[in-house]
């Protein structure tokens, strides 16, 4: 059972995906963390983020290993635990530029497909292009949405003390970058079930997705 959960930042993708995977005994993969990890490596190694050819030239160098336990998804780069460092504002501000480079997407997409293929019990994979590009044959595709205001409020709550207005502007800017890139843009798959989380609690979103998965398992 492969479940693809896509959508822009701040819609509750990570929290929902982890909880659904844990509840149903499935593996879990945060694909955004992989793009953050390769971005962290680029920044740490002094690669010019404004030069796509420089990024492309070293896209194959870092060894990225993703844990798939929803209770504690680990991620390492060249053996270094980067679960904390990849969440910094510096990485967040640069991840769209790195993610837009085709060689980076090819490298990470191959990694994601191999992880999904080796998940014996099934897997919940969350990201932005999972249902459209990475796993177009996923058993269930869910696309989460929410208003920019709701997303900004959630994200600024996560980023303790950050300003909701500036967070909203940053989210809108990132959406535009991710939706307009030439390689694997953020988009809803034609056969995805759209769930608007604006007015829903996290528990309600989780319940909704779990129900969708169980219906799919039952062959409905």
């Amino acid at each position: 059972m492969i479940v693809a959960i896509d959508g822009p930042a701040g819609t509750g993708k990570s929290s929902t995906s982890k909880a659904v995977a844990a509840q149903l005994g499935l593996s879990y993969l945060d694909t955004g963390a992989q793009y953050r990890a390769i971005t962290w490596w680029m920044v740490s190694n002094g690669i010019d983020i404004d030069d796509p050819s420089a990024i492309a030239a070293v896209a194959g160098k870092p060894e990225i290993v993703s844990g798939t336990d929803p209770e504690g998804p680990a991620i390492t780069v060249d053996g270094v635990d980067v679960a904390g460092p990849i969440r910094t504002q510096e990485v967040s501000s640069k991840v769209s530029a790195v993610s837009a480079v085709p060689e980076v997407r090819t490298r990470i997409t191959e990694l994601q497909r191999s992880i999904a293929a080796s998940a014996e019990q099934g897997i919940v994979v969350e990201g932005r292009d999972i249902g459209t590009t990475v796993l177009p044959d996923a058993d269930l595709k869910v696309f989460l949405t929410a208003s920019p205001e709701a997303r900004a409020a959630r994200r600024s709550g996560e980023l303790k003390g950050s300003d909701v207005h500036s967070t909203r502007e940053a989210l809108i800017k990132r959406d535009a970058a991710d939706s307009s890139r030439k390689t694997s843009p953020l988009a809803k798959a034609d056969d995805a079930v759209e769930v608007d989380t604006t007015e829903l609690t996290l528990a309600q979103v989780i319940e909704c997705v779990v129900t969708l998965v169980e219906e799919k398992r039952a062959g409905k």
Side-chain angles (χ1 to χ4, degrees):
M1 184 79 192
I2 293 179
V3 182
I5 299 185
D6 289 308
T11 52
K13 281 198 312 289
S14 293
S15 303
T16 300
S17 300
K18 276 188 270 198
V20 169
Q23 205 167 313
L24 297 175
L26 302 172
S27 294
Y28 161 76
L29 178 61
D30 174 359
T31 64
Q34 295 176 316
Y35 283 106
R36 285 174 171 274
I38 200 166
T39 301
W40 173 86
W41 184 90
M42 297 280 174
V43 171
S44 300
N45 285 276
I47 308 302
D48 183 357
I49 302 300
D50 297 320
D51 183 354
S53 60
I55 293 171
V58 294
K61 284 196 169 181
E63 184 191 6
I64 299 167
V65 178
S66 298
T68 57
D69 177 1
E71 304 289 354
I75 184 159
T76 63
V77 179
D78 296 336
V80 177
D81 178 358
V82 295
I86 63 172
R87 302 294 169 184
T88 62
Q89 187 53 46
E90 184 179 22
V91 170
S92 297
S93 66
K94 294 180 168 69
V95 69
S96 284
V98 174
S99 303
V101 177
E103 289 81 359
V104 170
R105 297 209 76 80
T106 298
R107 162 89 202 283
I108 301 294
T109 296
E110 287 172 358
L111 182 59
Q112 292 162 359
R113 286 176 177 159
S114 68
I115 292 170
S118 62
E120 293 177 5
Q121 304 302 318
I123 192 167
V124 178
V125 184
E126 59 128 322
R128 283 169 162 70
D129 64 340
I130 310 307
T132 51
T133 302
V134 181
L135 300 167
D137 298 326
D139 300 288
L140 173 66
K141 300 175 188 178
V142 178
F143 193 84
L144 299 183
T145 63
S147 70
E149 290 72 24
R151 292 164 49 210
R154 290 171 189 164
R155 186 46 65 94
S156 61
E158 290 171 13
L159 304 170
K160 303 288 183 284
S162 65
D163 170 45
V164 174
H165 178 72
S166 59
T167 301
R168 179 177 180 273
E169 295 305 308
L171 284 176
I172 291 172
K173 186 178 174 187
R174 174 129 192 233
D175 289 349
D178 291 347
S179 302
S180 61
R181 65 171 177 244
K182 291 186 174 67
T183 309
S184 305
L186 163 65
K188 174 176 173 278
D190 292 338
D191 53 348
V193 179
E194 186 168 326
V195 179
D196 187 334
T197 69
T198 305
E199 303 294 335
L200 301 178
T201 63
L202 177 58
Q204 288 172 322
V205 179
I206 293 165
E207 184 183 359
C208 173
V209 177
V210 165
T211 300
L212 289 170
V213 175
E214 289 177 334
E215 286 177 352
K216 184 62 75 170
R217 273 179 166 171
K220 291 183 182 176

